[in-house]
Amino acid sequence: MMRITRWSLTAAAVLACACGAASPDGPPRQTVQELMDTRIDPAADVLWDSVAFIASESGEEDRRPQTPAQWESVRQAARTLIQAAADLTIPGRRVAAVDKPPGPGELNVSDIQRRIDANPAAFAQRAQALGAAAQQALAAIDAKNAEALMDAGGLIDAACEACHVLYWYPQQVR
């Protein structure tokens, strides 16, 4: 029989808040932008930077994880990306804490929020696509298959871009 103590409930609440989950008093604490800046983008960068074939005038570089520590590092990045993508689907998450001026070609925060709020299920599906791509990366990492990891990196990029082009910069000509 499992015994639930005050400590275990407190620990669960602290972990939930630290991961950006909904607080007992309202919506998730971390914004979409904070998730992107602190977890999604850094984790995706680790995955993208872990494999590459670069040909230049100075020679060729075949970059891929070699050591158990390198594989574990990219594995942790994939797990972070999977969890962060799942966290994007938590209802009530705001795009940003403040409506700062948008970057070139981007919509402002309130317009992005309106787009997400108009169809939260569609936004959640895009986040789930990112999570599925990250799951493929994790499978490639567990198989120590650098080529499959590179392919999964392309799927991660496509999932990111599909969301960004719809919500952040739909007016940009591609």
Side-chain angles (χ1 to χ4, degrees):
M1 172 185 252
M2 187 171 134
R3 184 171 172 219
I4 298 176
T5 65
R6 177 184 285 230
W7 182 89
S8 61
L9 290 174
T10 302
V14 168
L15 286 173
C17 289
C19 291
S23 73
D25 299 325
R29 293 185 184 194
Q30 271 192 317
T31 66
V32 172
Q33 191 61 54
E34 289 167 339
L35 275 173
M36 296 297 284
D37 292 343
T38 63
R39 294 170 56 206
I40 293 172
D41 203 33
D45 285 344
V46 168
L47 295 172
W48 289 324
D49 292 344
S50 70
V51 289
F53 184 78
I54 303 166
S56 67
E57 291 179 13
S58 59
E60 295 178 352
E61 177 188 359
D62 186 9
R63 185 183 313 155
R64 60 184 64 216
Q66 301 289 329
T67 68
Q70 290 170 335
W71 281 108
E72 182 57 27
S73 175
V74 294
R75 187 174 198 286
Q76 289 305 315
R79 291 176 54 83
T80 296
L81 189 55
I82 290 164
Q83 183 59 55
D87 288 347
L88 282 174
T89 67
I90 296 171
R93 188 173 304 280
R94 306 306 302 160
V95 170
V98 295
D99 199 353
K100 62 181 183 173
E106 290 182 351
L107 296 177
N108 64 44
V109 169
S110 57
D111 287 337
I112 296 168
Q113 189 71 58
R114 271 193 290 282
R115 285 175 168 265
I116 292 171
D117 291 346
N119 191 346
F123 181 77
Q125 284 179 327
R126 284 174 176 72
Q128 290 165 351
L130 173 60
Q135 284 283 2
Q136 287 191 343
L138 183 60
I141 292 162
D142 288 346
K144 297 198 177 13
N145 184 333
E147 289 79 21
L149 178 55
M150 186 175 287
D151 292 343
L155 296 174
I156 291 167
D157 182 57
C160 291
E161 189 62 18
C163 188
H164 293 173
V165 76
L166 184 62
Y167 297 104
W168 268 256
Y169 42 83
Q171 297 143 342
Q172 283 189 0
V173 177
R174 297 215 88 59

